[in-house]
Amino acid sequence: MLLVSSCLAGLEVRYNGTHSLLKEIRDLVNENKAVTVCPELLGGFTTPREPAEIVGGNGEDVLDGHARVVEKSGKDVTQLYIRGAYSTLEKAIEMKAKVVILKDYSPSCGSSMIYNGRFKGKKVIGNGVTTALLKRNGIMVFSESNLPDKL
């Protein structure tokens, strides 16, 4: 069983109330081959919500206490992102998921690129908080741009 970002399955849970539908992901959910997850909602956020970025590093740095997740207004929401990451990990373990497909660029889900923390639309190489935690626990994470060959 796969675990996939809710927004990739077409659910309107992104920070701005939209989705990032990928038909292939929605089909997997409809065929009961995948289950949706939104780490940010699991962390306690609602939709819509203020955009947030990792400031001072990447998801690994957040987990290690060396970086923060901050909303555009400056509010520190690090603990909500960490809570969502651990809730997602629990769900992955419960489902025995070995592969997770998450939305790239997100401060939670980014698995190759995230925004640089300056709210200017510039991306840098790095993992989001949830991706970092899943990888630390031996779970493979892919994004919509690098799906595994066999789903």
Side-chain angles (χ1 to χ4, degrees), residues 12 37 49 54 59 99 119 131:
E12 295 176 335
V37 65
R49 57 191 166 274
I54 298 174
V99 174
F119 297 94
T131 294

Side-chain angles (χ1 to χ4, degrees), residues 58-127:
N58 56 36
E60 289 85 359
D61 298 317
V62 171
L63 293 172
D64 293 340
H66 303 301
R68 303 175 298 129
V69 186
V70 178
E71 291 181 334
K72 192 171 185 176
S73 65
K75 180 181 177 187
D76 187 325
V77 290
T78 303
Q79 290 308 311
L80 294 174
Y81 276 82
I82 291 172
R83 181 188 313 155
Y86 276 95
S87 294
T88 302
L89 175 62
E90 286 175 22
K91 189 167 186 172
I93 290 170
E94 176 184 309
M95 293 176 46
K96 297 179 173 65
K98 300 290 185 214
V99 174
V100 178
I101 301 169
L102 299 175
K103 176 73 180 103
D104 224 357
Y105 315 128
S106 156
S108 288
C109 299
S111 63
S112 61
M113 301 287 286
I114 56 173
Y115 287 99
N116 72 353
R118 294 190 178 100
F119 297 94
K120 302 285 185 188
K122 185 170 176 11
K123 298 167 190 149
V124 295
I125 294 171
N127 292 318

